[in-house]
Amino acid sequence: MQRVVIVGGTHGNELGGIYLCRKWTPAPRYWQNYPFAVETYLANPKAIDLNQRYVDQDLNRSFRASDLANPDLSAYEAQRARLVANDLAGADFIVDLHNTTSNMGLSLIFSGTDSFGDPLTRQLCAHLMQSEPLVHVYHMPVPADINPYLPSLGQRELTLEVGPMTHGTLRADLFFKTEKLVQTLLDYLADWERGEAHTYQGELTIYSHVQSLDFPRNANGDLAGMLHPHLYGRDYKAIRTGHPLFITFEGRELLYQGNEEAYPVFINEQAYYEKHYALSLTRKVQIPI
Amino acid sequence: MQRVVIVGGTHGNELGGIYLCRKWTPAPRYWQNYPFAVETYLANPKAIDLNQRYVDQDLNRSFRASDLANPDLSAYEAQRARLVANDLAGADFIVDLHNTTSNMGLSLIFSGTDSFGDPLTRQLCAHLMQSEPLVHVYHMPVPADINPYLPSLGQRELTLEVGPMTHGTLRADLFFKTEKLVQTLLDYLADWERGEAHTYQGELTIYSHVQSLDFPRNANGDLAGMLHPHLYGRDYKAIRTGHPLFITFEGRELLYQGNEEAYPVFINEQAYYEKHYALSLTRKVQIPI
């Protein structure tokens, strides 16, 4: 492993990663001891200046191989994605720092179909989980040829999704926890490269993406209701058949109809209103470390 | 009192008031029993469509008399303000529904220098406070000739500031509490007009604006720190000399230096980052009802 890149500002109003990358510029002196280079990288400077998620389209959905190969796409983020892909080509490990308004703590999100076929990824997850109780592992696999996410540019990838933090604001507690977790991650990668990493046995708990659910809507497609208060802040808490999911503006409750126990994530994420996701459901899975 | 107007969407991404106004359109049948007309009014339709606070400038700072009289102002909100002022001319009572990312519960904000010289305002505050424990009264007086706020267009005015609610999202619990409080308010105004209102004795607690504080900044004017975690969610909770206010990105704490006990509000409000307000400090005052 020669090149590790810490990315911030893929979404221009997710301030945690942006201000951490700025804090790490110039790079902390102790990074020089690592057996690989560590860089920081601000992915969407124009959106950062505007304090907006994006300018024309979501940069973090702009990395499909076919889109990167298409010079006719004119949106700012389509063009920016080609530049970013060029800048990050050859990175061995990309950590993309995000924030969410949902109560997802410090979520490690992986988008590869075979992310957990990799022993380092499994060991790293185990290490980060035991270092910080707010860490959860969320697997949202997408086939490589249509993977639209920035960190998929790396040989290995990780999205660190930190919340709850309102977009356009900072929360000091989560800022410092993110800083510490990235430090722990880099230390572990260094130990791994040196053949000195502690290795874990047993099982790893993974929350595997099942589906995203939209809000109730009326015949015009407008919102007809809201998430049910029983879900607030309850990311990664099990729900079972009959659990209230939504409440209409008239006060009618809509219940979870599935038979399978589900673990919601991205509950009431602000940026997903426009994607028509009120929350996502995951399945809790144990895999051998 | 002949005309009461409930305003939503003065800020286009504060969804609570917007969806309540839509729910109240057409008007609920029981509003026909009031001895005055009640209207709903969406103040910034273009910002609502864009799901943004504003298009060109903050509409809720666009109502200074001199600005309304100046036909040369070309910003969308400057022009919209003149139209709104015309539409709401002659309103006896304006209730402007807002949301905040701060934990301000259901705050009644008054911007008149003599708001509490009015017996109805004092009695209404007392009534709403006893009806809902999340109600606080915040007085932020501005001389009438330079008052920039929309509700100052009314003979009487009230801003109902509801939070915590992330802009661009809805929270069902606060949505229904807001609906209920507006209902309680209208019922009280009706009783008052009929001479049947319950009147209160004793004292009213008011939080009176003292000053707004900016974040720590570096020599370039960029953020150098964040609100201290000890302040999160602690709107209307007393702080005294030495209470931590901020923490720099390097972890240094900055303390409250004032001698006077202060009551913070608008703690970490997202929309106030651009105004350079991290929080506002108020003084707790008792006045006779």
Side-chain angles (χ1 to χ4, degrees), chain B residues 99-114:
Chain B
N99 293 113
T100 172
T101 58
S102 306
N103 186 26
M104 289 177 70
L106 296 143
S107 289
L108 316 178
I109 307 183
F110 296 90
S111 70
T113 49
D114 193 35

Side-chain angles (χ1 to χ4, degrees), chain B residues 217-228:
Chain B
R217 290 183 185 272
N218 64 22
N220 297 327
D222 297 327
L223 286 183
M226 305 163 274
L227 279 160
H228 197 286

Side-chain angles (χ1 to χ4, degrees), chain B residues 96-172:
Chain B
D96 195 16
L97 302 179
H98 284 258
N99 293 113
T100 172
T101 58
S102 306
N103 186 26
M104 289 177 70
L106 296 143
S107 289
L108 316 178
I109 307 183
F110 296 90
S111 70
T113 49
D114 193 35
S115 296
F116 300 100
D118 171 40
L120 169 53
T121 297
R122 296 193 305 272
Q123 292 290 336
L124 179 65
C125 287
H127 184 68
L128 296 180
M129 284 182 73
Q130 66 83 38
S131 80
E132 165 55 57
L134 288 178
V135 169
H136 289 84
V137 179
Y138 176 23
H139 191 208
M140 201 175 49
V142 182
D145 57 328
I146 58 166
N147 191 314
Y149 301 110
L150 182 148
S152 68
L153 297 170
Q155 283 297 310
R156 290 190 172 92
E157 54 114 19
L158 163 61
T159 296
L160 183 52
E161 186 71 76
V162 177
M165 194 148 107
T166 300
H167 303 312
T169 76
L170 283 165
R171 258 185 80 124

Side-chain angles (χ1 to χ4, degrees), chain A residues 15 19 23 51 101 166-173 175-176 223 225-227 229 232 247-251 268-270 273, chain B residues 15 19 23 51 101 166-173 175-176 223 225-227 229 232 247-251 268-270 273:
Chain A
L15 301 191
Y19 280 95
K23 177 172 179 177
N51 192 24
T101 57
T166 300
H167 302 313
T169 75
L170 284 163
R171 258 186 81 126
D173 53 352
F175 179 89
F176 292 117
L223 287 182
M226 305 164 275
L227 279 159
Y232 294 157
I247 186 162
T248 69
F249 295 135
E250 282 67 40
N268 219 18
E269 160 58 43
Q270 184 266 327
Y273 272 62
Chain B
L15 301 191
Y19 281 95
K23 178 171 178 177
N51 192 25
T101 58
T166 300
H167 303 312
T169 76
L170 283 165
R171 258 185 80 124
D173 52 352
F175 178 89
F176 292 117
L223 286 183
M226 305 163 274
L227 279 160
Y232 294 157
I247 185 160
T248 69
F249 294 135
E250 282 66 40
N268 219 19
E269 160 57 42
Q270 185 267 327
Y273 274 61

Side-chain angles (χ1 to χ4, degrees), chain A residues 185-251:
Chain A
L185 178 150
L186 292 172
D187 288 345
Y188 192 82
L189 294 187
D191 286 347
W192 184 270
E193 285 297 288
R194 296 184 187 113
E196 297 168 2
H198 178 80
T199 55
Y200 296 82
Q201 309 293 327
E203 293 194 316
L204 191 66
T205 301
I206 290 172
Y207 296 86
S208 181
H209 186 80
V210 176
Q211 63 173 325
S212 297
L213 301 182
D214 191 10
F215 292 96
R217 293 186 183 271
N218 63 25
N220 297 326
D222 298 328
L223 287 182
M226 305 164 275
L227 279 159
H228 196 284
H230 284 187
L231 278 174
Y232 294 157
R234 295 186 60 79
D235 298 79
Y236 297 113
K237 308 284 189 199
I239 61 169
R240 295 178 187 84
T241 314
H243 191 287
L245 288 182
F246 301 105
I247 186 162
T248 69
F249 295 135
E250 282 67 40

